[in-house]
């Protein structure tokens, strides 16, 4: 099989509106942030996209300049209900997979502080798939115009409805974070009517001491895909397999494995931060048991 690789050169000019916070009384805080990004691509052969699955368009074939890629605005409300209970809600406005800019609730969770070291969150939360997951949408918090898309948009799951634990013990001079999580997500795609049901769990582990932070992550997801093109391909392979007895079609049909797709993502990262300068690196490995979702390796 010949695979043609197309390299897209893109230049982005980004204006970041930093987080603004206002306290309303003693228990309510309102925050906001945003980014205006204009991206130029020097090719008309393809669009530069954050994610093929959920990004509808970008600069390139659709137009040399695009203001939708990377532009976003958000508002967040934090409510301190009591000494141990709090609630957070965040609404994000950006171009979603249907091409519209309709506001969506990205975060909506209740947090219980069981102790000084342990928090429990229930509701709509972001799974900590990456080292920078918690503030991935806050562009001015990154050293890049945008985080490397090969790594940070490998798993296009920005939130889930579920639960996680944040345990922050101290050990041998290290500040640790142990964060197991579980949740579900119905992910829409750029094709109307196509969806992917995701049931996922995982764990985020990090250790900080002095200028160093180390992180390991594991994400495991069972996928149920309702995608028209995949169903057509699957039906065609099954017909060739059962009626014509084509062994290649039978093998490809088994490899598509539409009824039992498992997707795992392993990641590791490290940061050395002295304030004025720093070194940061991260590695990710995605493994699937189905040809409908590709394996991948990414790092920076």
């Amino acid at each position: 099989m010949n695979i043609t690789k197309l390299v897209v050169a893109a230049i982005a000019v980004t204006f970041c509106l930093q987080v603004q916070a206002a306290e309303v009384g003693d228990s309510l805080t309102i925050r906001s942030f945003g980014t205006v990004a204009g991206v130029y691509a020097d090719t008309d052969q393809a669009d530069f996209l954050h994610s093929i699955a959920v990004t509808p368009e970008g600069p390139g074939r659709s137009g040399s300049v695009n203001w939708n890629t990377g532009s976003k605005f958000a508002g967040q409300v934090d409510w301190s209900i009591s000494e141990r209970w709090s609630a957070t809600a965040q609404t994000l406005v950006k171009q979603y997979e249907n091409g519209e800019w309709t506001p969506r609730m990205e975060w909506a969770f209740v947090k219980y502080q069981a102790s000084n070291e342990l928090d429990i969150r229930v509701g709509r939360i972001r799974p900590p798939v990456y080292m920078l997951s918690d503030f991935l949408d806050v562009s001015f918090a990154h050293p890049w115009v945008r985080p490397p898309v090969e790594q940070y948009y490998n798993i296009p799951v920005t939130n889930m409805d579920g639960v996680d634990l944040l345990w922050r013990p101290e050990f041998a001079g290290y500040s640790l974070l142990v964060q197991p999580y579980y949740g579900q997500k119905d992910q829409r795609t750029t094709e109307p009517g196509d969806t992917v049901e995701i049931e996922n769990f995982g764990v985020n582990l990090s250790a900080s001491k002095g200028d160093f932070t180390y992180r390991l992550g594991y994400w495991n997801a069972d996928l149920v895909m309702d995608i028209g093109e995949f169903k057509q391909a699957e039906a065609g392979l099954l017909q060739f397999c059962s009626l014509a007895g084509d062994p290649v079609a039978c093998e490809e049909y088994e490899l598509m494995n539409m009824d039992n797709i498992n997707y795992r993502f392993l990641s590791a990262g490290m940061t050395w931060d002295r304030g004025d300068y720093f070194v940061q690196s991260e590695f990710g490995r995605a493994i699937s048991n189905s040809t409908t979702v590709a394996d991948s390796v990414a790092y920076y």
Side-chain angles (χ1 to χ4, degrees):
M1 177 182 296
N2 293 324
I3 300 176
T4 302
K5 295 183 178 179
L6 178 64
V7 178
V8 179
I11 300 175
V13 179
T14 303
F15 302 94
C16 298
L17 310 176
Q18 67 180 17
V19 172
Q20 301 293 333
E23 293 188 5
V24 183
D26 296 331
S27 61
L28 202 63
T29 302
I30 300 175
R31 311 172 192 272
S32 64
F33 62 88
T35 301
V36 178
V39 186
Y40 166 80
D42 67 349
T43 179
D44 59 1
Q45 301 301 305
D47 282 351
F48 173 77
L49 304 177
H50 280 175
S51 170
I52 294 175
V54 296
T55 305
E57 63 180 21
R61 186 172 183 177
S62 297
S64 58
V65 178
N66 186 283
W67 291 92
N68 298 323
T69 304
S71 295
K72 64 191 73 173
F73 307 93
Q76 180 174 319
V77 177
D78 298 302
W79 179 25
S80 179
I81 303 171
S82 68
E83 184 177 343
R84 293 191 177 273
W85 290 92
S86 63
T88 295
Q90 183 188 102
T91 299
L92 184 66
V93 181
K94 66 178 182 179
Q95 188 183 50
Y96 286 95
E97 68 286 326
N98 58 3
E100 298 180 356
W101 283 72
T102 305
R104 291 187 184 177
M105 190 68 70
E106 283 289 310
W107 294 359
F109 61 83
V110 174
K111 182 173 72 174
Y112 175 66
Q113 184 180 359
S115 68
N116 291 333
E117 296 180 346
L118 179 63
D119 294 335
I120 303 171
R121 302 190 301 180
V122 178
R124 178 162 296 180
I125 55 181
R126 182 188 290 267
V129 178
Y130 309 110
M131 186 159 58
L132 306 180
S133 285
D134 278 350
F135 48 94
L136 191 58
D137 287 320
V138 188
S139 298
F140 79 89
H142 305 308
W144 315 277
V145 169
R146 72 173 56 81
V149 296
E150 296 83 359
Q151 169 72 2
Y152 283 100
Y153 296 92
N154 208 327
I155 310 297
V157 179
T158 60
N159 58 55
M160 66 177 187
D161 296 328
V163 59
D164 70 351
L165 305 179
L166 295 96
W167 181 39
R168 297 176 295 271
E170 300 281 339
F171 179 76
Y174 282 89
S175 298
L176 306 179
L177 171 63
V178 180
Q179 184 180 8
Y181 57 92
Y182 168 83
Q184 298 180 338
K185 167 76 172 180
D186 289 338
Q187 179 70 59
R188 285 171 280 184
T189 74
T190 55
E191 292 297 323
D194 288 354
T195 59
V196 180
E197 296 179 12
I198 303 171
E199 182 178 7
N200 61 180
F201 68 88
V203 63
N204 172 41
L205 305 172
S206 70
S208 300
K209 184 177 183 179
D211 300 330
F212 289 90
T213 298
Y214 309 93
R215 179 192 174 273
L216 292 173
Y218 175 73
W219 181 77
N220 186 299
D222 292 321
L223 312 179
V224 177
M225 290 190 171
D226 186 7
I227 297 179
E229 292 184 356
F230 287 173
K231 286 186 174 180
Q232 292 177 7
E234 185 184 36
L237 289 171
L238 180 60
Q239 187 174 19
F240 275 105
C241 175
S242 58
L243 298 181
D246 187 338
V248 176
C250 294
E251 182 180 359
E252 290 297 324
Y253 174 76
E254 292 295 329
L255 289 174
M256 283 194 72
N257 191 25
M258 291 286 290
D259 297 327
N260 184 26
I261 300 175
N262 181 258
Y263 197 44
R264 289 166 289 163
F265 185 69
L266 310 173
S267 59
M270 183 276 292
T271 299
W272 177 58
D273 190 346
R274 292 297 300 270
D276 292 334
Y277 48 89
F278 73 99
V279 176
Q280 180 171 296
S281 182
E282 192 170 6
F283 170 88
R285 174 79 166 96
I287 305 169
S288 170
N289 67 346
S290 170
T291 56
T292 57
V293 183
D295 293 355
S296 66
V297 173
Y299 54 88
Y300 64 87

